Amino acid sequence: MTTFNEILGTKSGDPESTVKQRYKLLSVRVHPDKGGSKALMHLVRHSYDNIVKGKGEHPILIPSVSTSGNNTALERELAAVKKERDELSALNQLLKVQLNQSRKASNSGSGIDYSRKITQLEGEIALLKDERNRLQNHKDAAIEEQGKLAGELRRALSENEVLETELERSSGRKMPGAIQWAQKFWLPAMATSSLVVVLFLGASMLNWSVISAWFNTEEPEVIPPAVRVVHAKPKDQTTTDNVPTIEETEPTMKETLRLPFLKLTTETGVWSLASYTESNGPYISIRSANGSYVVNDCSGEFRLYLNEPFRPLRVAANLIYLHQNQHFHVYKIPYGQGSSAESWLQSRKLQINDEFFTSEAFLESRTALLKKCNS
């Protein structure tokens, strides 16, 4: 005879929690919605009720077949119940084997891993709680600061409303807004004053003598040419000493013409080899975005050719003024940044008098310059 314990796969001494666990497992498998039947579900439920009442070792009583008119249907139902009971017994044995295997696996050390994971998760939960508390404090502080700012804004708006009300009462009419008032009065006033300033500056820059000459119909007075008296011997030697002769002025003009002129280029940020237009002497140079140049020739000196339109009011302390050449103010760089080849080789970009010059292609251009100078 089959007992209730055999149906659920339990023993007489098993606790109620074990019996309940077995009942849940079997009810999930034999439930009609999961592919089972109502008879099996009823059998499992009946077995669970009897085991809970302490009747787990009692045999299952199958009622005898009634001799009423529907014997064939009852026999068929009884045969199906017996078949399902046999299947349930086989399933029970399979579940027992799986339960034993799971118990052995838990006893072999997996419980330690679970406890370790649980401890780790508890630590992470504690850290998350601390972080949540810290963020909550920040949130509370931000909300408090927002409340303070909102209060200050409300006070400022209320003060503004009070002032506008007082102005309306004093003037007896509604004052326009600040932007409308500016558009109606200040903007036309500023435009008119700007036009007056432009007209004044333009009038100061005009040549009124030329303009008045257009309307003057009188012929200009003809002034006779002055007659130069040539004396064989000057009467006053002191007056002639102060007048420079042609021989005295000619060397100065020649020196001005002999100044080496650069060959201007439009390429910026790259060192290149070139030669002066007057002496064909070789030099290397680099052009900045403002049109200034840093030049190095066979003398070994580095000079800054500062573009005249961008000349500042004050220059750097390490620049010594030499002369003016073309539209450049030439400065010598005796020390500091850009005064030696080593400073250009050790840096990718140098700032000289608020202008930036790179060291791209400096080594190649410097080598070519030295070859030219030695030859």
Side-chain angles (χ1 to χ4, degrees):
M1 297 296 290
T2 304
T3 62
F4 295 109
N5 284 329
E6 290 178 354
I7 294 296
L8 291 186
T10 57
K11 297 178 182 179
S12 299
D14 290 342
E16 187 177 355
S17 60
T18 303
V19 177
K20 194 172 184 179
Q21 183 181 6
R22 295 294 303 167
Y23 166 70
K24 289 182 178 180
L25 289 174
L26 289 175
S27 62
V28 169
R29 291 177 178 271
V30 301
H31 197 275
D33 296 338
K34 302 293 183 180
S37 63
K38 293 182 179 180
L40 286 176
M41 188 66 194
H42 178 72
L43 182 60
V44 171
R45 179 66 184 175
H46 184 61
S47 300
Y48 171 73
D49 293 338
N50 285 278
I51 292 172
V52 171
K53 294 177 181 179
K55 300 178 181 181
E57 295 298 332
H58 292 189
I60 298 176
L61 298 177
I62 300 175
S64 59
V65 179
S66 176
T67 57
S68 58
N70 200 4
N71 293 335
T72 305
L74 290 176
E75 288 177 358
R76 193 183 305 111
E77 185 70 20
L78 181 59
V81 169
K82 288 181 179 180
K83 183 178 179 181
E84 291 177 357
R85 185 193 63 181
D86 296 337
E87 292 177 356
L88 190 59
S89 298
L91 180 61
N92 188 18
Q93 295 296 328
L94 180 61
L95 291 175
K96 285 181 179 180
V97 173
Q98 293 178 357
L99 181 61
N100 293 330
Q101 291 179 355
S102 62
R103 287 177 179 175
K104 290 180 181 179
S106 62
N107 294 330
S108 63
S110 60
I112 300 174
D113 296 335
Y114 289 148
S115 61
R116 188 182 299 110
K117 290 180 179 179
I118 290 172
T119 305
Q120 183 178 359
L121 290 175
E122 289 178 351
E124 293 179 357
I125 289 173
L127 292 175
L128 289 175
K129 287 182 179 179
D130 295 338
E131 184 68 17
R132 183 191 64 183
N133 295 332
R134 187 179 66 84
L135 294 176
Q136 185 65 32
N137 295 332
H138 285 302
K139 180 181 178 181
D140 296 339
I143 292 174
E144 184 179 358
E145 185 67 21
Q146 183 180 2
K148 291 181 180 179
L149 293 176
E152 294 178 359
L153 180 59
R154 285 193 294 270
R155 286 194 297 270
L157 291 175
S158 61
E159 292 176 359
N160 188 19
E161 291 176 357
V162 170
L163 291 175
E164 289 181 356
T165 304
E166 292 179 355
L167 289 174
E168 290 177 1
R169 290 178 179 177
S170 61
S171 61
R173 58 187 182 87
K174 187 176 179 180
M175 295 294 292
I179 298 177
Q180 297 178 356
W181 187 75
Q183 291 178 350
K184 290 183 179 179
F185 298 99
W186 274 103
L187 293 179
M190 291 177 64
T192 305
S193 60
S194 301
L195 181 60
V196 171
V197 171
V198 170
L199 292 176
F200 178 76
L201 293 176
S204 62
M205 296 174 64
L206 292 176
N207 191 353
W208 292 102
S209 61
V210 175
I211 295 175
S212 61
W214 293 350
F215 303 96
N216 190 7
T217 57
E218 297 180 358
E219 296 183 357
E221 183 181 358
V222 179
I223 301 175
V227 179
R228 182 181 178 184
V229 180
V230 179
H231 300 277
K233 187 176 182 180
K235 296 181 179 179
D236 191 359
Q237 188 67 26
T238 57
T239 57
T240 59
D241 292 339
N242 295 328
V243 179
T245 60
I246 298 176
E247 290 79 6
E248 291 177 353
T249 58
E250 186 176 358
T252 305
M253 296 175 62
K254 289 183 179 180
E255 289 179 0
T256 305
L257 294 175
R258 284 198 300 268
L259 287 176
F261 288 165
L262 299 180
K263 288 183 178 179
L264 303 182
T265 179
T266 58
E267 186 177 8
T268 61
V270 180
W271 285 86
S272 60
L273 179 65
S275 58
Y276 294 113
T277 58
E278 298 297 325
S279 61
N280 291 328
Y283 70 91
I284 58 175
S285 64
I286 182 172
R287 185 180 185 271
S288 69
N290 292 335
S292 301
Y293 290 80
V294 174
V295 179
N296 176 236
D297 53 15
C298 295
S299 65
E301 295 180 351
F302 285 86
R303 291 186 295 273
L304 172 65
Y305 281 66
L306 186 59
N307 196 2
E308 185 175 5
F310 296 95
R311 182 185 181 186
L313 298 177
R314 298 178 62 185
V315 296
N318 64 333
L319 300 179
I320 299 176
Y321 183 78
L322 296 178
H323 52 80
Q324 185 173 359
N325 189 350
Q326 295 170 293
H327 59 280
F328 298 105
H329 295 277
V330 185
Y331 293 86
K332 179 182 178 182
I333 310 176
Y335 64 91
Q337 290 188 350
S339 61
S340 62
E342 289 76 12
S343 63
W344 290 100
L345 293 173
Q346 294 174 0
S347 303
R348 297 179 58 185
K349 182 185 292 185
L350 294 179
Q351 183 179 5
I352 302 176
N353 202 51
D354 297 334
E355 294 191 48
F356 289 96
F357 299 88
T358 64
S359 58
E360 185 177 351
F362 175 79
L363 181 59
E364 296 82 356
S365 302
R366 174 75 174 177
T367 305
L369 175 64
L370 294 177
K371 289 182 180 180
K372 287 269 188 179
C373 295
N374 294 331
S375 61

